[in-house]
Amino acid sequence: MEETIFHKILREEIPADVVFENDHVLAFRDIRPQAPTHVLVIPKFPLADFSELATAEPSIVSNFIQGVSLAAEHLGLNEGGYRTVFNTK
């Protein structure tokens, strides 16, 4: 897998404004937000992009989706709703 900025953020080589973290995901504020609350949630396991979730172990998929939901809950977004976008490459 190609080295990305996200790998460096996970290794704390690049600082990030972390808003939520657990064993499976790291959530941090985007440095160029496109919305009042713009948070990136990245997996802590090897995953090149969203399309790889289709062949991943079910526990990996559920841990990632749960991590996104927990990050939103931690930010108090559940009551008013929020939008989730998955990017590939």
Side-chain angles (χ1 to χ4, degrees):
M1 185 181 307
E2 180 182 323
E3 177 80 4
T4 69
I5 190 171
F6 301 116
H7 293 106
K8 293 178 181 180
I9 291 170
L10 285 170
R11 291 193 305 263
E12 298 180 359
E13 294 171 7
I14 296 176
D17 182 4
V18 175
V19 296
F20 178 80
E21 181 175 13
N22 67 15
D23 292 340
H24 308 288
V25 300
L26 178 71
F28 55 94
R29 296 193 186 280
D30 193 296
I31 61 171
R32 292 186 188 92
Q34 302 297 306
T37 302
H38 186 166
V39 174
L40 303 176
V41 182
I42 60 174
K44 289 187 172 181
F45 46 84
L47 186 67
D49 61 37
F50 180 74
S51 64
E52 286 192 6
L53 283 176
T55 57
E57 293 290 325
S59 63
I60 288 176
V61 177
S62 66
N63 287 332
F64 180 66
I65 299 300
Q66 183 181 43
V68 172
S69 179
L70 290 171
E73 181 180 340
H74 181 76
L75 290 165
L77 301 175
N78 284 348
E79 188 173 311
Y82 57 93
R83 183 174 74 153
T84 305
V85 176
F86 292 95
N87 290 326
T88 58
K89 300 187 181 176

